[in-house]
Every structure is written in C-alpha cells, then in structure tokens.
Amino acid sequence: MKRCFSTRQRRILAWVAAGRCAECGQPLEPDFHADHRIPFAHGGPTLLQNGQALCRPCNQRKGAQMPQPQLRPWQQDALRKALTWLVEARQDRRFLINAAPGAGKTRVSCVIAQTLLALGEIDRVIVIAPRAEVVNQWADDFRQVTGRYMSKVTARDGDIHGLGLDVCATWAAIQGLQDALQAMCGAARVLVICDEHHHAAVQAAWGEGADSAFAAAQFTLVLTGTPIRSDGAESVWLPYDDAGAIDYPEGGTYTLTYGEAVDLGYCRPVTFHRHEGRFTLDLDGGQTVQISGQQPATLPRPLARIPGLQRVLDFYRLACTPQYQADKQTPLATGYQASMIESAAQKLDDLRLRMPNAGGLIIAPSIEMAE
Ligand SMILES: [Zn+2]
C-alpha cells in the first residue's frame, strides 16, 4: 500500500473538512498535511476512511505525541495486508494469518481489531480460543491494546448474563451461545477472531452450526500455526485442498513460517539428538541381557526356551516401563529412564553454551511415566 495520499485523495479530504484543519479549525493553506489518523507506521492504511486534513502546526504537534509502534515488523506487514484485503480491496470478509506459535498472533490481531474499530468498520469483537488459559490471555491483551473490557466465557452452559460488548469464548463454550452470537452478528458489525483454527476442525461436530452462527459477521480473522491437517474431517471457515492444506488466496493470507520465526529470533530452533538406546538388563542369578531398539534381544540358551520371555524383553515395552527402587516409589537412578534424562540434561547443558535460553521437552507415553 502507498504511504502518501494521492492528489485526488488530498482534495477529497480538504473538501470533506470544508477547507478547515480537522484539529484546530483554522483555514487550510495549500501546503496542508493529508494525515493518517492511525499512523502508517502503526499499520494505518492510506485510505480516505483513515485520512484527515491537518494544518502544518497541528500535524507537527501530532507527530511529536504519537507513541512508538509496538509491533514487530512482520506484525506491521500483516496488519497492513489484512486492512488492504478487508477494507480497501474488499475481496472477501475473511483474512488468514498463518504464523508459528510464539510469533505474536494475538497481539497483531488485537491491533487489527483496534484499527477496524478506529476506522469505524466494526462495532464489536468476538474471539474464539481453544482453552480457558488462552481466553484469559486474549482478554488481557485486548484490554491493553484497545482499552476495552472483554468478557470471558469458558462454561458450556450458554449463560449470557453479564456479558459485555466484546466477548472471548472457548471453542467448547461457543456451542451453548450459537443463538446469541447469531443474533449479535446480525445486529452489529462484528469482527470474529478464530484462534487456533485447527481446533475448530477437531470439534467439527458442530462445524456447520458455527458457520451459521457467524455467517453474518462483518469480518473474520482466522489464526493458525498449523495450516495442515490430517484427520480428513470437514473444515470450518476455510476450504482445504486434497493434501489437507488450507486453500485460500495469497492476497488474503499472511504467512510467517517457522523457519522465518526462528531466523527473526521469535521462536527457538528445535533440534533432535539421536540416541541409539542400548541398555543392559540384569536378571536374577547374575545373568545379563543386552537390549536394543535395533534388534531383538539375544538370550542365553536356557532362557531362550522360556515361552514369552522374548516378548517381555521388547525394547519399547521396557523403555516405557517406569523403574523404581524397592519402595516402588523412588525412581531408580540407574534405570533406563533416569539415565536417558541424565544424558539429555548433559546435551542441554552443552546446547546452552551456544543458546542460553534453550529448553528441553520430554514426550512421555503416559501420565504415570511423565510423573
Ligand atoms: Zn490545525
């Protein structure tokens, strides 16, 4: 989008203002400033809806008062692209932001909402988020950016008592609110923000209901960090292609890949260390068996005749069985899991020499094992 208003736009702005400064009311000189009400650097578009005619002194005063932009560069780009698609081109009422988790989708969405409110394009905002903790985060961020209170709905009982203008609800809670939301979208100009869009697909049992509840929404902002899905279920909001990827025009999409987010320092890179996972099993009577993920255990001759023993000594079965000391509570320090964790902790220490904020993630097969 162009940064400067065209000559024609300038003339229209001056004409709309009846030839007077929008701030102080003094007659405009020929060198008046065609001003972005929401600054261009904050994502404000170069549209008549966002323009005003200011005299030179008022423009300079405003420039000195404006706070620094609080958005990352990708967020400014996404904001501008969303406004171009939704407000200027009016191609479609939906816009898709596909960015890695942690890149800052919530914040840029709040700024898009704030900008649409300031431009007079919408009256109210509904956010749908996956979980209660995320709902709280949305309400906090939304208040910080827009100064507006956002009601939180996490119960499934459909109670609408005490709800304010703007609402953030979990995907599960939406089901009980469909009639209320449909009525609201019909009566007011609503921006619907659909967070973690792939959750909608998971709960697609009510997908069509959700579609109809929000069919009259003025705009829909779809956020995802997982643009591919594999369950083959019916999609909500956006079409998918045969490969399970979101199929939506490029102009209506902003994508920040995981690789880009890592390069920009918003996300940390993921590394996997291969570990062959060989260990020694001590049997009663002083015998030992080598267990490995590569091949079945080789048993000493007398043991090989015991039916089912080979199956009991399966690598994955043993690796996924917690080992305890005699009290059956204290994890065994020499056990397979403990030694794997120790090895992983050493790798993490090494990694932290290069990347001080590196973290580790253990994926366990069960809650018992995780604990
Ligand atoms: Zn003025």
Side-chain angles (χ1 to χ4, degrees):
M1 183 179 282
K2 303 184 311 297
R3 187 179 185 118
C4 290
F5 287 98
S6 68
T7 305
R8 180 176 171 79
Q9 284 175 315
R10 280 175 60 86
R11 284 183 184 145
I12 293 174
L13 290 174
W15 183 55
V16 168
R20 293 185 175 273
C21 170
E23 281 291 324
C24 67
Q26 292 297 310
L28 291 169
E29 303 287 334
D31 69 342
F32 79 90
H33 184 74
D35 176 59
H36 290 76
R37 286 194 292 134
I38 299 159
F40 188 79
H42 295 207
T46 309
L47 302 176
L48 289 172
Q49 296 99 307
N50 190 40
Q52 63 181 355
L54 292 184
C55 70
R56 285 263 149 208
C58 283
N59 177 53
Q60 277 158 14
R61 232 182 346 263
K62 180 182 171 185
Q65 284 167 354
M66 290 310 291
Q68 288 298 307
Q70 297 293 308
L71 292 178
R72 292 167 166 171
W74 85 263
Q75 292 171 317
Q76 291 182 31
D77 291 344
L79 171 59
R80 214 166 279 138
K81 192 167 182 184
L83 293 171
T84 301
W85 178 259
L86 297 173
V87 178
E88 187 181 25
R90 297 204 182 264
Q91 290 276 352
D92 191 293
R93 61 188 184 87
R94 296 166 298 177
F95 189 80
L96 168 68
I97 296 180
N98 169 21
K105 292 193 289 290
T106 304
R107 186 152 192 97
V108 69
S109 302
C110 289
V111 176
I112 289 172
Q114 160 73 350
T115 308
L116 290 172
L117 286 165
L119 290 173
E121 291 284 334
I122 55 167
D123 310 304
R124 305 169 75 153
V125 179
I126 299 172
V127 176
I128 319 163
R131 292 181 310 281
E133 311 86 76
V134 187
V135 164
N136 290 332
Q137 186 63 51
W138 269 101
D140 288 349
D141 282 7
F142 189 77
R143 179 162 214 166
Q144 228 178 51
V145 171
T146 68
R148 288 162 69 114
Y149 172 77
M150 180 167 260
S151 302
K152 298 177 267 191
V153 188
T154 53
R156 296 165 182 240
D157 57 13
D159 184 14
I160 57 164
H161 179 75
L163 291 188
L165 275 182
D166 305 312
V167 172
C168 184
T170 58
W171 279 105
I174 288 290
Q175 291 180 69
L177 295 173
Q178 281 186 33
D179 51 351
L181 296 173
Q182 190 161 9
M184 208 242 262
C185 288
R189 295 171 305 164
V190 176
L191 166 68
V192 176
I193 300 175
C194 169
D195 190 11
E196 296 297 327
H197 169 260
H198 49 284
H199 280 269
V202 171
Q203 299 177 25
W206 54 276
E208 285 177 24
D211 264 348
S212 66
F214 298 117
Q218 182 80 354
F219 299 115
T220 304
L221 192 56
V222 175
L223 312 180
T224 186
T226 312
I228 306 286
R229 36 183 298 220
S230 54
D231 58 4
E234 279 302 302
S235 63
V236 183
W237 312 98
L238 292 176
Y240 285 80
D241 64 18
D242 292 341
I246 288 177
D247 186 13
Y248 196 62
E250 199 281 328
T253 305
Y254 189 90
T255 302
L256 181 78
T257 65
Y258 173 68
E260 289 166 335
V262 169
D263 286 345
L264 291 165
Y266 306 147
C267 297
R268 286 171 285 182
V270 175
T271 60
F272 290 93
H273 287 282
R274 280 176 61 90
H275 198 290
E276 197 185 337
R278 214 171 26 213
F279 58 92
T280 306
L281 188 72
D282 294 323
L283 299 174
D284 287 345
Q287 282 182 305
T288 61
V289 183
Q290 297 296 320
I291 306 288
S292 126
Q294 307 288 324
Q295 61 208 36
T298 313
L299 298 176
R301 192 168 294 275
L303 292 179
R305 289 197 226 104
I306 302 175
L309 184 60
Q310 188 73 53
R311 199 162 49 80
V312 170
L313 296 180
D314 172 71
F315 170 80
Y316 290 102
R317 177 188 292 251
L318 288 170
C320 293
T321 306
Q323 290 168 285
Y324 300 104
Q325 295 178 16
D327 64 3
K328 299 209 189 311
Q329 281 188 327
T330 314
L332 190 64
T334 56
Y336 179 72
Q337 294 83 28
S339 58
M340 282 299 286
I341 289 173
E342 195 182 330
S343 161
Q346 277 169 13
K347 295 254 191 235
L348 190 54
D349 283 344
D350 292 346
L351 205 55
R352 283 189 173 144
L353 296 176
R354 284 188 287 124
M355 190 185 300
N357 65 347
L361 173 69
I362 296 176
I363 302 169
S366 66
I367 298 284
E368 181 199 19
M369 183 82 184
E371 285 173 346

